[in-house]
Amino acid sequence: MPAHVRRARTVAPYGSWKSPITAESLVANAVGLEQITLDGDVTYWVELRPGEGGRSVIVRRDAQGKTADITPQPFNARTRVHEYGGRSYAVHGDTVYFANFADQRIYRVTPGAEPEPITPENAMRYGDFVVDERRKRLLCVREDHSVSDREAINTLVSLRPDGANNDGGTVLVSGNDFYSTPRLSPDGGRLCWLTWNHPNMPWDGCELWVAEVEANGALG
């Protein structure tokens, strides 16, 4: 290399070298895709967008191929249930229900409208949403952090989708340390879920439970 284009050599301690290649430059245009949901001819998914501060955005693609964001800024569709999260939204017709990362409240959003909360401001977290169409309610995992000097309490609960009288939901299943992945049978007559207890992680010891759903919504 000619002497007139040589650059001065820089010596820096190990770990302190400033590279022109930053983490931001590597991921700025990268988008993660997850949580695909089909609703008839409409497809929904979540995009993880590093360029928007790591925001998780629910996206909708209609039968004609038109794509639109469902959750506007600054909403971030991500749940903190079990800390590592879980399914953060559910769809019923044109209505989307999602957990917002900043306050962990559940929000409802319809086309052309701003998201509105259906749960109060408190120390509850919600995730793994399922729409119980027959009984007009949401089913989900609830994590109660209302008492700071104890471990959070996990339950399966039902919630009113219109937000009326939602003070945290109606408990359907309780007693174990962790719950996840509630799913309704196609006819709405049975509910299944996974559960485990300390000291197990779910890959160490996990149980699958199934219960009949009674006419009043309780589990048999």
Side-chain angles (χ1 to χ4, degrees):
M1 180 181 294
H4 68 280
V5 296
R6 289 177 181 170
R7 296 180 180 178
R9 179 179 297 176
T10 300
V11 178
Y14 178 80
S16 67
W17 180 266
K18 293 183 179 180
S19 172
I21 303 173
T22 64
E24 290 79 6
S25 67
L26 291 175
V27 303
N29 297 317
V31 174
L33 304 174
E34 64 179 26
Q35 300 186 45
I36 299 171
T37 297
L38 300 179
D39 185 41
D41 293 332
V42 180
T43 305
Y44 295 83
W45 65 88
V46 172
E47 291 189 0
L48 283 67
R49 298 179 180 174
E52 297 183 19
R55 192 167 73 97
S56 294
V57 183
I58 301 172
V59 182
R60 180 183 188 271
R61 184 183 188 276
D62 64 19
Q64 289 71 45
K66 181 180 179 181
T67 301
D69 290 353
I70 298 299
T71 46
Q73 290 188 341
F75 290 97
N76 184 359
R78 180 181 166 193
T79 175
R80 289 189 62 192
V81 165
H82 304 151
E83 294 301 341
Y84 46 79
R87 191 164 188 80
S88 61
Y89 77 102
V91 178
H92 183 233
D94 289 332
T95 304
V96 176
Y97 304 92
F98 69 94
N100 184 46
F101 185 73
D103 55 14
Q104 290 300 293
R105 300 172 75 181
I106 302 176
Y107 286 76
R108 176 182 60 208
V109 60
T110 55
E114 286 293 309
E116 56 179 342
I118 65 169
T119 55
E121 292 185 89
N122 54 28
M124 305 289 184
R125 302 176 185 178
Y126 306 90
D128 278 333
F129 305 109
V130 176
V131 176
D132 185 355
E133 185 173 1
R134 180 194 292 185
R135 301 165 188 88
K136 304 296 186 289
R137 61 181 183 171
L138 284 176
L139 307 178
C140 65
V141 176
R142 187 187 73 184
E143 197 172 78
D144 183 351
H145 291 258
S146 59
V147 180
S148 60
D149 60 351
R150 74 176 185 200
E151 186 172 337
I153 295 177
N154 276 257
T155 53
L156 296 182
V157 301
S158 67
L159 295 158
R160 290 277 299 271
D162 59 3
N165 302 318
N166 277 343
D167 59 355
T170 300
V171 176
L172 299 176
V173 184
S174 64
N176 286 353
D177 293 331
F178 298 98
Y179 294 93
S180 77
T181 329
R183 295 292 184 267
L184 274 174
S185 60
D187 64 359
R190 290 181 296 170
L191 179 72
C192 70
W193 64 90
L194 298 177
T195 183
W196 63 98
N197 288 291
H198 289 308
N200 289 328
M201 296 298 282
W203 50 84
D204 297 317
C206 188
E207 298 174 349
L208 169 64
W209 283 69
V210 181
E212 301 290 333
V213 184
E214 298 177 351
N216 64 359
L219 300 185

